Amino acid sequence: MEKIEFGRNAGGQAQCRKRKKRRTAAWYGFLILAGVLLYKAGAVYALRWRGYYAVGGEVLIPLVLVLCYGVAVMFREIVRDWHDRR
């Protein structure tokens, strides 16, 4: 039977990276799902309001969600850089 080490770098970093990748993938999946659902709801509302099917500004709803996520990441990086300079 092999002795198992529970040291600081005994595999913990790899597990943390895997967990972070899963969380990031789950977040992107949530953004895609939310974008699709919001697009569908916007298309139904626009169809009722217009009275005919056409594609308009509701197509940009998924893009807005991705842009919000990008702004949040950019803001987090700016704050992190600001703290590192101190």
Side-chain angles (χ1 to χ4, degrees):
M1 192 160 150
E2 293 181 16
K3 184 178 178 182
I4 299 173
E5 290 186 28
F6 292 102
R8 183 175 182 151
N9 292 329
Q13 291 177 350
Q15 289 176 354
C16 183
R17 282 191 204 126
K18 285 181 184 178
R19 197 174 314 133
K20 193 171 185 178
K21 285 182 182 179
R22 283 187 205 135
R23 188 180 309 147
T24 302
W27 181 249
Y28 278 121
F30 168 74
L31 285 177
I32 290 169
L33 181 65
V36 168
L37 293 176
L38 285 172
Y39 169 75
K40 294 282 188 182
V44 168
Y45 177 77
L47 175 64
R48 284 189 201 146
W49 189 70
R50 293 182 193 129
Y52 59 91
Y53 180 75
V55 178
E58 66 270 8
V59 173
L60 299 177
I61 291 173
L63 179 62
V64 170
L65 294 173
V66 173
L67 287 175
C68 288
Y69 180 71
V71 168
V73 169
M74 183 179 66
F75 183 72
R76 190 178 323 133
E77 291 293 324
I78 289 170
V79 170
R80 186 177 297 149
D81 288 343
W82 185 66
H83 282 295
D84 288 345
R85 288 183 186 176
R86 291 182 145 202

